[in-house]
Amino acid sequence: MADEAVAERPAEPAAPKAKDARSPEAPPRGGARGDEKAKDAPDGANAPGSGDASGSDSSADDAAEREKERERAADRFKDRTRDPLAEEQGEEETTDAAAAARARRDGQKLFTSGRDFIGLDRSDVGQLHIGDINIRLDALRSGLSMRDGPVPEEELLRIRRTHLEPEGYVRLRRALVARRLLVLGGAPGTGRVSTALALLEEVTRDGGGARNSERVRRADPERGVRELAAQVAAGEGGHLRGTGYLLEPALDRPGTLPPDGMDLDQLASALAERGSYAVVVVSVGSAANPLLAGRYGAICQPAPTRELVAVRLRERLEEEHGDLLRNGGGQGGAGGSRDERGRGGAGGSRAGDGDGGPDGDSRDRDGDGGPDGDSRDRDGDRGRTDASRDRDRNGERDRSRAGGRHPGRGPDGDGALSRLLARAAELREDPEVTEAVGLDDLRPAEAELFASLLAGHLLGSVSREELLSGCRGLAAVQAYEWFAGVDRALAAPPPGDGRTPPVRSGTAALFHPVAFRIALAVLGGASHSAVSAAAHLLTWELSVQSDPDSTPARPLFCDDPESDLALSRARPADGIVDVAGSEVTGRLIFYRGSALPAAVLAELWDRHFPVRAPVVRWLRLLADDPRPQVTMRAAVAAGELSVRDFEHGYAELIRPLAEAPTPRRRVFAATALDQAAGHASHRRAVRKVVDNWSRHGTPALRWTAAMALGYGRSADSMDDTLDTLADIGVRDDGEQLAVASLNVVRLLTLPECATVLRRLADWTAHRGEQYQDLALVSIVRLALTDVDEVLDDEPGTPLGDRGDWPLLLALTATRPELTGRLADLFWTALNTARSRDVALDALETLLRSAARKDGREWTREGLAALLPVLIAKEPDQRRLDWLLRRMMRDQDRPLAAERARALWRLAVPAPRRRSEEEESHG
């Protein structure tokens, strides 16, 4: 194509070239603009090609040498604009900073509920006291099991009166009646045992054991299914016909093999001969899943949270309100000695996981009681769905309960109770109460305690502060239950069941559920595969720590994702995963409650010191993971753990990783340090650490300090932050200038942006070349960095909605008062010899971002604000003209003439073009 066609002007004819101007075919060296103090200013005395350079006292050799030096300076400058996070990668490969920023932001959401678990007195964690409510946690200790013995009749009466039937209850009862044996599965704490007892109470009530005071019995879990079958068949122990048996086998103990189908058939046959029934309660998981998949297996659905809380709350208010009326308005209380009452309250073992207590008391710790079951109609089930049957029965019981339990109360009492129920409904939906609970759904024991707290607050025995504290304790109780005595079974010999125990110790199978919960607390919101892989790594570390003489067995085909979700109170969700700079749809995983991640880490770090070593090793492994969704979330969690014990976290995690040779590990340490700085209790200590590293640390420590400073919380003020970054950047001939400039740019997303721009202007006028370079590199990086790479804000903010914009243009569009300062700084980079080339390349990148490839508008709004201020003089217009021509001639990405003309009109508005033409042509 002819030069005339290629070089067609992008806009109307511009003013003719001045006599001393250079040709637009070469990058122009425009005149002075404002402050001309930078020593490499284009028309300054030292600029190559200036008038003095051709003077009589300068030789051609001197000019050539100066040109070579200028080129070397330009090359050094270009090296400093490269991504400092990509040192361990290929020269042209950049890190996915946007994905890292999003992952850090998502990780911080897990720990932003403002909870302070340090305030929970754990000196005697066996019992918590909130107002008049006693919460006994002894029964939550993993490994403690119920003794063999009968279930007291009063407990069966309580079950009949208060059990809230889960979905599918009728189907479970029919299966038990038909087969005499039911294997009932579910996650601990979801009401499995309560439902099992309700089933056994119902089927034995009118059978052969109706007059038997021991018609429902708990079987010794250590004996297993085989011994129970032999016991039933032989009629040992004087057990009458029609007895119902509840068995909770200890399948999670190392060396224990689950019963097989033949064992279950043998037990069912023995039960049929004796006219008896049995329910075997198991936890979902790889060991129990074959049982649940067989003919006797069934899943127990948890009772719905809202209905459960409503029923429990009504019970509490009826009970306590009646006490107040009978006592003339005396203290009622929401708990206290309710353990000794026939109905039980929030105390006793029902605050536990819902699977019985260790002392032989068969009280249901699930606490998912509900309506009265006396009027159950067995024959009316035919032809009706389970759901309608359950609704009818629950509604009938609610109506029975609405009739009142205190016949002497009278109409006035009923009206007062109605008002209390209305207030309770409002209190339950209080945002502060909901945030304090921090659980998406409550399990039976939690609903029991929550209802007691609400009732106690309404009746005056529990203050607002105690109410919120008790609600926050729900997640802490769950975390305590998950970890207490998990590996106690390793100290006990495997049971002798007549079969050869496995050769492996079984520690991996024992620790995997625990490892999954920890991994989910650290990586919540990441992909399910990432959390699962991290859980397996932690399982290995825990197993080696517990049994260093054995190689942990790692089954390859025994994972059960659905069981992992159920056992960890987790939920899957479709979401976006960052992969190699692109967003793809993936399966994410979260806890079912914002309070659980912090509660898990608090329980882990504060009460289980031996587990710290394997967890630290595991976190160091995650620090090397190439996926930002893993590394940044783990760094945030490491910071939270360090807050709980800063001495340990600093010595074992932060300092070793801060001195690591790889940037990824140092970024991990800086992120953890900043997370600790987010807590007012540790901010001063973090700032002292960062200050020491920046002044006296090794190059690696100074690099890490610069990254920590870029978050904006590791110094007393913005000026102090910039002073420290400048000290790091100019030291040792600018060895750390690249990372210092990167973090100066990160600070521009903060509210103190104007302070950063003022300091950049000061540095451009500094006598020291290193300070000038720090400013110039920061300015160029500002034009080349996308908002997503450095922003902490969520989408929905002015900057957050422009995530794929260059930060320079996003700031001009959202902060118009800063446009003049931004344009002046970028003009300085364009007119300084050593930064001119990379600044021109950056300007080309900005110009090409005006519209997307499909023609939709992109950053045109920012360019419309910046270009008229940046291209204010004739030399600037000639430079833009030259750059647009070069872009049009680009062989790989030619700029369309129409777009070039549009960009020219943005930079040189019509009134200015007309005035220049008039001045040129007279």
Side-chain angles (χ1 to χ4, degrees):
M1 180 179 287
D3 284 349
E4 291 78 10
V6 174
E8 179 185 358
R9 297 195 65 82
E12 288 81 355
K17 184 173 61 175
K19 289 188 295 181
D20 58 345
R22 299 185 56 178
S23 168
E25 297 299 317
R29 294 174 183 171
R33 173 194 180 102
D35 189 356
E36 302 180 58
K37 294 182 181 178
K39 74 173 186 178
D40 282 340
D43 284 342
N46 296 327
S50 63
D52 290 343
S54 59
S56 59
D57 55 347
S58 299
S59 64
D61 292 341
D62 291 338
E65 184 61 30
R66 282 195 298 270
E67 181 62 23
K68 290 180 181 179
E69 178 58 31
R70 190 197 70 81
E71 293 176 355
R72 288 192 292 267
D75 290 340
R76 289 195 301 269
F77 186 89
K78 185 175 182 180
D79 287 339
R80 289 170 172 173
T81 62
R82 290 196 173 97
D83 186 359
L85 306 181
E87 293 175 7
E88 59 181 335
Q89 305 179 22
E91 183 177 349
E92 300 300 329
E93 184 178 1
T94 60
T95 55
D96 194 352
R102 283 190 292 270
R104 172 179 174 268
R105 190 165 60 237
D106 292 340
Q108 288 180 319
K109 294 178 186 177
L110 302 178
F111 309 105
T112 55
S113 61
R115 299 170 180 273
D116 183 14
F117 289 103
I118 300 176
L120 182 63
D121 182 10
R122 296 172 178 268
S123 58
D124 181 15
V125 79
Q127 183 171 355
L128 302 180
H129 184 75
I130 303 171
D132 294 329
I133 302 172
N134 292 312
I135 311 169
R136 293 177 54 81
L137 301 181
D138 297 335
L140 303 185
R141 298 182 186 275
S142 178
L144 298 179
S145 58
M146 295 296 295
R147 294 195 298 268
D148 189 5
V151 178
E153 188 64 30
E154 58 269 21
E155 180 64 15
L156 295 179
L157 179 62
R158 187 192 66 81
I159 289 291
R160 288 177 57 189
R161 185 173 62 244
T162 64
H163 179 252
L164 184 64
E165 297 172 358
E167 181 182 355
Y169 178 86
V170 175
R171 184 172 60 254
L172 297 177
R173 180 170 58 81
R174 287 174 177 168
L176 178 59
V177 171
R179 299 188 178 93
R180 301 280 175 170
L181 174 64
L182 181 67
V183 179
L184 193 61
T190 55
R192 306 166 304 162
V193 174
S194 176
T195 298
L197 288 173
L199 289 168
L200 290 173
E201 189 280 331
E202 183 174 357
V203 298
T204 60
R205 189 192 320 154
D206 300 327
R211 294 181 175 84
N212 180 6
S213 61
E214 299 182 358
R215 57 192 174 95
V216 178
R217 298 184 59 88
R218 286 185 179 272
D220 187 354
E222 300 294 339
R223 295 183 178 179
V225 169
R226 279 190 172 185
E227 291 195 23
L228 178 59
Q231 183 181 11
V232 171
E236 296 178 3
H239 303 165
L240 299 178
R241 295 180 59 87
T243 299
Y245 298 90
L246 173 64
L247 174 64
E248 301 176 67
L251 300 181
D252 58 346
R253 292 188 56 175
T256 300
L257 295 178
D260 54 28
M262 188 174 295
D263 295 332
L264 296 177
D265 289 338
Q266 184 180 0
L267 176 58
S269 177
L271 292 168
E273 292 178 4
R274 300 283 299 174
S276 298
Y277 303 90
V279 178
V280 180
V281 176
V282 296
S283 295
V284 292
S286 58
N289 284 349
L291 303 179
L292 297 174
R295 70 171 68 91
Y296 303 104
I299 296 295
C300 180
Q301 300 294 335
T305 294
R306 295 188 62 85
E307 290 81 350
L308 193 58
V309 173
V311 169
R312 287 291 170 264
L313 186 56
R314 185 180 187 91
E315 290 176 358
R316 293 292 170 268
L317 290 175
E318 284 180 343
E319 178 179 322
E320 302 300 344
H321 184 62
D323 290 344
L324 288 173
L325 289 176
R326 289 193 299 272
N327 295 333
Q331 290 293 329
S337 61
R338 195 170 294 127
D339 301 81
E340 285 72 41
R341 302 178 192 173
R343 304 201 29 243
S349 60
R350 274 193 290 156
D353 68 354
D355 295 336
D359 55 359
D361 181 10
S362 59
R363 177 167 297 156
D364 168 38
R365 285 184 283 130
D366 288 317
D368 64 340
D372 191 347
D374 292 338
S375 58
R376 290 176 179 153
D377 178 15
R378 290 184 175 82
D379 297 330
D381 293 337
R382 298 191 181 108
R384 303 171 62 188
T385 65
D386 287 345
S388 63
R389 176 66 175 157
D390 292 345
R391 284 195 300 270
D392 291 347
R393 295 168 68 177
N394 290 339
E396 178 182 349
R397 295 185 181 184
D398 286 340
R399 290 190 295 273
S400 172
R401 183 174 288 105
R405 244 172 237 174
H406 306 288
R409 191 166 59 200
D412 291 340
D414 289 338
L417 177 61
S418 299
R419 289 191 294 271
L420 280 176
L421 289 172
R423 289 174 55 199
E426 295 177 2
L427 182 61
R428 188 174 64 178
E429 303 300 330
D430 187 319
E432 191 175 10
V433 172
T434 302
E435 191 277 335
V437 171
L439 299 172
D440 293 351
D441 45 53
L442 297 180
R443 291 184 170 179
E446 295 161 352
E448 186 91 17
L449 176 58
F450 183 48
S452 295
L453 290 168
L454 293 176
H457 180 64
L458 292 173
L459 298 173
S461 62
V462 175
S463 67
R464 175 82 175 185
E465 182 180 351
E466 289 174 331
L467 169 65
L468 297 177
S469 177
C471 291
R472 294 187 184 102
L474 293 175
V477 170
Q478 174 66 93
Y480 173 84
E481 173 195 347
W482 276 341
F483 292 101
V486 167
D487 55 351
R488 183 178 290 110
L490 292 176
D497 59 355
R499 286 177 285 180
T500 303
V503 177
R504 301 292 191 182
S505 66
T507 54
L510 182 68
F511 287 129
H512 178 70
V514 175
F516 191 89
R517 291 162 188 153
I518 298 172
L520 185 56
V522 171
L523 303 178
S527 64
H528 195 168
S529 61
V531 174
S532 182
H536 279 292
L537 286 178
L538 182 55
T539 300
W540 180 275
E541 295 293 342
L542 295 174
S543 301
V544 171
Q545 185 77 13
S546 175
D547 189 7
D549 296 331
S550 302
T551 302
R554 189 173 183 179
L556 301 180
F557 298 98
C558 292
D559 273 7
D560 182 6
E562 297 305 320
S563 297
D564 288 340
L565 296 178
L567 293 174
S568 300
R569 299 184 73 161
R571 63 177 177 85
D574 291 335
I576 300 299
V577 179
D578 290 293
V579 180
S582 301
E583 294 183 351
V584 298
T585 302
R587 188 173 189 252
L588 311 183
I589 182 171
F590 303 85
Y591 267 120
R592 298 184 64 85
S594 60
L596 287 172
V600 166
L601 294 188
E603 174 69 22
L604 179 74
W605 220 240
D606 293 348
R607 290 187 50 79
H608 304 283
F609 294 101
V611 84
R612 289 186 176 189
V615 169
V616 165
R617 294 196 299 268
W618 174 67
L619 288 172
R620 290 180 179 179
L621 290 174
L622 297 186
D624 293 324
D625 196 292
R627 295 168 294 182
Q629 64 163 326
V630 173
T631 306
M632 298 306 289
R633 285 182 169 88
V636 170
E640 288 295 316
L641 293 175
S642 298
V643 168
R644 309 204 67 81
D645 187 347
F646 194 72
E647 176 189 16
H648 186 273
Y650 177 80
E652 298 295 330
L653 274 171
I654 295 176
R655 178 62 185 259
L657 294 177
E659 293 185 299
T662 60
R664 185 176 289 124
R665 283 197 160 200
R666 298 198 293 265
V667 169
F668 185 102
T671 304
L673 206 56
D674 173 74
Q675 187 67 19
H679 295 258
S681 57
H682 290 70
R683 194 166 297 145
R684 181 177 179 181
V686 170
R687 290 174 177 176
K688 182 66 174 177
V689 167
V690 172
D691 184 66
N692 286 338
W693 286 359
S694 63
R695 293 174 183 270
H696 313 296
T698 62
L701 289 178
R702 295 199 304 273
W703 194 99
T704 306
M707 289 301 302
L709 288 164
Y711 291 115
R713 297 191 292 197
S714 295
D716 294 334
S717 66
M718 181 58 72
D719 279 318
D720 290 341
T721 299
L722 292 166
D723 286 339
T724 307
L725 282 173
D727 291 341
I728 294 172
V730 303
R731 185 172 173 179
D732 297 334
D733 294 329
E735 179 184 359
Q736 307 283 0
L737 192 145
V739 70
S741 67
L742 170 64
N743 288 283
V744 170
V745 172
R746 293 171 64 197
L747 295 173
L748 285 166
T749 63
L750 302 180
E752 301 92 336
C753 176
T755 301
V756 182
L757 295 179
R758 173 177 58 80
R759 296 297 300 275
L760 284 173
D762 293 343
W763 291 340
T764 60
H766 200 281
R767 291 180 180 273
E769 184 175 319
Q770 297 297 345
Y771 280 93
Q772 296 175 19
D773 282 351
L774 176 60
L776 294 170
V777 171
S778 300
I779 295 164
V780 172
R781 198 180 295 281
L782 171 63
L784 296 174
T785 301
D786 287 345
V787 172
D788 271 345
E789 299 177 25
V790 292
L791 184 66
D792 283 337
D793 291 349
E794 289 288 338
T797 62
L799 278 180
D801 288 338
R802 295 169 172 82
D804 60 348
W805 282 39
L807 181 56
L808 175 61
L809 297 181
L811 287 173
T812 59
T814 59
R815 301 283 299 273
E817 73 277 8
L818 302 178
T819 300
R821 298 187 190 183
L822 291 166
D824 286 345
L825 289 170
F826 196 48
W827 185 91
T828 301
L830 286 169
N831 288 276
T832 302
R834 58 183 179 276
S835 61
R836 180 186 300 120
D837 292 343
V838 290
L840 277 172
D841 292 341
L843 179 57
E844 177 177 344
T845 301
L846 297 179
L847 294 173
R848 289 187 182 276
S849 71
R852 302 184 188 276
K853 292 182 178 180
D854 58 4
R856 291 183 295 119
E857 187 175 299
W858 188 1
T859 65
R860 187 179 185 280
E861 177 189 0
L863 286 169
L866 176 68
L867 289 179
V869 186
L870 181 66
I871 314 297
K873 302 295 183 180
E874 181 183 354
D876 305 322
Q877 295 174 17
R878 290 201 304 271
R879 174 168 49 219
L880 177 63
D881 176 71
W882 173 86
L883 181 59
L884 290 173
R885 292 169 183 268
R886 189 182 77 174
M887 293 168 64
M888 293 170 63
R889 293 192 183 98
D890 192 306
Q891 296 292 322
D892 298 322
R893 295 193 304 163
L895 181 69
E898 181 181 354
R899 289 194 177 184
R901 283 192 290 270
L903 290 171
W904 179 262
R905 294 189 182 99
L906 279 181
V908 186
R912 187 193 301 176
R913 291 197 299 270
R914 285 196 298 269
S915 63
E916 290 172 351
E917 290 173 1
E918 292 170 359
E919 180 180 348
S920 300
H921 298 290

